[in-house]
Amino acid sequence: MKKVAVILSGCGVYDGTEIHEAVITLLAIRQNGAAYQCFAPDIPQMHVINHLSGEPVEGEVRNVLVESARIARGDIKPLAQCNAEEFDALVVPGGFGAAKNLCTFAVDGPESHFDADVMRVCKAFADAYKPAGYACIAPALAAAVYADSVKLTIGTDAGTAAGINALGACHIDCPVDEVVIDREARLVTTPAYMLAEDILQAYKGLTKMVETVLSLK
């Protein structure tokens, strides 16, 4: 049975992992006969957002690992313990946490800084040519990990695509229910909620991403 490492970035679309994307991803991994282990960096979130109002919550501090444990039902490990040699593939769901907590793309664009453990783990999979899938805004992270004009997508947003290209990638426009595959890098990306208007649209692209990642030799 193949084993997939899944990196989460908190709990909630505006300040962490997009929950629908994470759950669909985990379900798709199991539906395709593979197992997963969730990881998250043990660091403070950039900020906390009230998901009812969409406004920041002043003075509140939350931990990315602790919040991610909500999605993983407690079965999660600090990202510092992730060893790429123990896994066959990597998947990183989206949500703004990927661009706020795993890196600073949401604030700094092409001048982003990247969490050290996140970059170490992601590059370990890339350097070992192990398949990886990044969804939604998470390909901004992949752009820095792979660079070298790696082909990827966040959908069709021109401004975000320009920022990703500035990190060294080659953005390709993609509909919500499709994926972009860079076979040389063994990287698969899909727009998910960068374009999805409902959970069914997100489901189609995310399941295709997981199926493709697990099928890459």
Side-chain angles (χ1 to χ4, degrees):
M1 178 183 290
K2 289 185 176 180
K3 295 175 61 179
V4 182
V6 179
I7 299 178
L8 303 180
S9 58
C11 183
V13 57
Y14 300 128
D15 58 12
T17 302
E18 211 297 319
I19 298 172
H20 292 174
E21 290 186 15
V23 173
I24 291 169
T25 295
L26 299 180
L27 177 61
I29 291 170
R30 293 296 295 121
Q31 286 177 325
N32 283 274
Y36 62 80
Q37 175 62 58
C38 293
F39 296 91
D42 188 3
I43 57 174
Q45 292 184 185
M46 189 186 91
H47 58 192
V48 177
I49 298 294
N50 179 326
H51 279 60
L52 184 60
S53 68
E55 297 297 322
V57 180
E58 297 297 332
E60 186 166 350
V61 178
R62 297 190 184 184
N63 178 279
V64 174
L65 176 61
V66 172
E67 291 300 296
S68 298
R70 295 176 180 271
I71 297 174
R73 295 173 58 87
D75 184 10
I76 193 166
K77 297 179 180 180
L79 187 59
Q81 296 179 14
C82 183
N83 183 352
E85 294 179 357
E86 298 176 357
F87 295 91
D88 301 289
L90 170 70
V91 175
V92 186
F96 282 113
K100 291 179 176 180
N101 303 326
L102 304 186
C103 67
T104 63
F105 184 82
V107 176
D108 299 322
E111 303 302 319
S112 295
H113 300 286
F114 299 84
D115 177 82
D117 281 327
V118 171
M119 185 59 71
R120 175 188 63 80
V121 170
C122 291
K123 284 192 70 66
F125 279 91
D127 292 345
Y129 294 100
K130 293 190 174 184
Y134 290 70
C136 191
I137 192 61
L141 173 62
V145 170
Y146 292 86
D148 297 328
S149 298
V150 66
K151 298 179 180 65
L152 49 71
T153 191
I154 49 82
T156 57
D157 183 79
T160 306
I164 282 177
N165 287 340
L167 288 169
C170 176
H171 182 270
I172 297 174
D173 284 355
C174 177
V176 66
D177 57 349
E178 288 295 338
V179 299
V180 167
I181 308 169
D182 188 312
R183 294 193 179 275
E184 184 174 346
R186 307 184 82 187
L187 174 67
V188 187
T189 53
T190 191
Y193 274 104
M194 288 293 289
L195 289 180
E197 296 179 354
D198 65 25
I199 194 169
L200 183 59
Q201 288 185 346
Y203 173 83
K204 291 179 179 178
L206 288 163
T207 54
K208 187 172 292 186
M209 179 188 75
V210 171
E211 290 168 358
T212 305
V213 166
L214 292 175
S215 70
L216 290 174
K217 304 296 184 181

